[in-house]
Amino acid sequence: MVTMLDVAKKAGVSKATVSRVLTGNNYVSKTTRERVFWAIEEIGYRPNLLARQLATNKSQCIGLVVTNTLYSGPYFSELLFQTATMMEKYGRQLIMADGKHSAEEEREAIQFLLDLRCDAVIIYPRFLSIDALESIIEQHEQPIMVVNRTLHQHSDNGICADHQQHSCDAVKYLITQGHHDIAFICGSANSPTGTSRLAGYRQALAENGIPCIDSLIAVGNWTYDSGYTATKALLQQAPTFSALVASNDDMAIGAAKALREHGFVLPQDISLLGFDDLPMASWFYPPLTTVHVPVAEMIKYTLEKLLSRLEGETLLPVPDFKGELIIRDSVSKGPAA
């Protein structure tokens, strides 16, 4: 049986150095690390993960819970990319569990990762309430970070952009461009992000003395199809509008298709604005004006905070994650300009 000592002899280093490389310790030079991995490959060493975990009380794994209904969204791809990249940087493994379709299944996914002895868990929740998330944090020793939720009792464990303020600022921009009749497509009805963006829309109208007309609001579910369907419903039922805000870029693209089918030219007839600044937004025609949400920065901060906590270092203060309105060609001057 090949042992860690055999690896050390092959690489010409100490057994302790091999151990540091295998646990992802950053204090080993790149040259030494490469030599150790070369030796492992040469002699076919396979570490006993269970023994290492029992000895160190650490698995070197970070768990991630995401509900499968979010897999196709912009947050998920950015979340997974940033998490995997940083796990590689710090020599850790990422284990993902599916939260499926209910709060109970999300809870089971979290417990599954904790039972695997993940050193920490990141949750991108869809169904669990704020109170339930705070209770889970209190009940476990492993650090747990919640993405895209604002926690009240454990604020250091939650990270979220101010979706309401981002939406309010975006709608105010449309108003400054001369648009007063502004339609809005919400996200899923039980989505906190969707609720916050709708609240921002209402807030911007109220602060500018513009009445909020219910028939100018349609409900989507974050998909292209729902943006298309919601826009067709608005065109059939709503009063005339000069601008349309969709709660994400996917629905904005679906909305554009419906508008074109009804003979409207963007942005000359109707201006269009989205959220999330997907890569395709700049390639869309006309290039889509949208709100850039700092997902990468949020995920990077979440992981750095978790890893700092695991290493016993000082916790990082929560920065202010501000969205940015990316002005492109899908918005033009409105009737009141």
Side-chain angles (χ1 to χ4, degrees), residues 273-289:
L273 187 147
F275 284 86
D276 296 332
D277 192 24
L278 294 181
M280 71 178 73
S282 61
W283 295 91
F284 182 73
Y285 184 80
L288 186 62
T289 295

Side-chain angles (χ1 to χ4, degrees), residues 167-225:
S167 179
C168 181
D169 292 342
V171 175
K172 284 181 177 179
Y173 168 72
L174 291 176
I175 294 171
T176 64
Q177 296 304 299
H179 297 282
H180 289 180
D181 299 315
I182 303 170
F184 191 88
I185 302 176
C186 310
S188 301
N190 58 351
S191 163
T193 299
T195 300
S196 295
R197 288 177 178 171
L198 175 58
Y201 164 76
R202 295 182 184 275
Q203 177 185 342
L205 295 181
E207 291 181 0
N208 285 273
I210 300 173
C212 183
I213 302 171
D214 288 342
S215 58
L216 283 174
I217 300 173
V219 179
N221 63 7
W222 306 115
T223 64
Y224 300 111
D225 286 346

Side-chain angles (χ1 to χ4, degrees), residues 173 249 277-278 281-282 286-290 326-331:
Y173 168 72
D249 290 344
D277 192 24
L278 294 181
S282 61
L288 186 62
T289 295
T290 182
I326 308 298
I327 300 173
R328 299 194 178 103
D329 298 339
S330 66
V331 173

Side-chain angles (χ1 to χ4, degrees), residues 75-196:
Y75 276 107
F76 176 72
S77 58
E78 193 70 45
L79 173 68
L80 194 58
F81 173 76
Q82 294 295 334
T83 306
T85 300
M86 287 199 69
M87 290 303 96
E88 181 179 7
K89 175 182 176 182
Y90 286 95
R92 293 177 179 269
Q93 279 293 343
L94 175 66
I95 300 179
M96 188 175 138
D98 183 5
K100 297 187 174 68
H101 309 290
S102 68
E104 185 56 35
E105 288 171 316
E106 278 188 336
R107 189 186 296 273
E108 289 172 357
I110 295 167
Q111 191 60 54
F112 170 76
L113 294 173
L114 294 170
D115 289 344
L116 286 178
R117 301 175 68 88
C118 287
D119 295 333
V121 174
I122 301 169
I123 310 169
Y124 189 97
R126 176 70 173 80
F127 301 103
L128 283 167
S129 67
I130 297 296
D131 289 343
L133 292 166
E134 306 232 51
S135 177
I136 291 169
I137 291 169
E138 290 176 356
Q139 292 170 10
H140 297 92
E141 293 183 2
Q142 292 104 314
I144 296 174
M145 289 291 291
V146 179
V147 180
N148 207 35
R149 292 291 187 278
T150 300
L151 303 180
H152 307 304
Q153 298 179 20
H154 301 85
S155 56
D156 282 346
N157 293 75
I159 187 69
C160 187
D162 192 340
H163 296 293
Q164 178 170 337
Q165 189 60 54
H166 297 165
S167 179
C168 181
D169 292 342
V171 175
K172 284 181 177 179
Y173 168 72
L174 291 176
I175 294 171
T176 64
Q177 296 304 299
H179 297 282
H180 289 180
D181 299 315
I182 303 170
F184 191 88
I185 302 176
C186 310
S188 301
N190 58 351
S191 163
T193 299
T195 300
S196 295

Side-chain angles (χ1 to χ4, degrees), residues 23 47-61 114-119:
T23 56
N48 187 328
L49 298 179
L50 179 59
R52 184 204 305 170
Q53 187 171 318
L54 291 173
T56 64
N57 200 32
K58 293 183 178 181
S59 66
Q60 301 301 316
C61 295
L114 294 170
D115 289 344
L116 286 178
R117 301 175 68 88
C118 287
D119 295 333

Side-chain angles (χ1 to χ4, degrees), residues 241-258:
F241 53 90
S242 65
L244 173 60
V245 178
S247 290
N248 73 348
D249 290 344
D250 285 352
M251 292 194 296
I253 292 170
K257 184 175 188 295

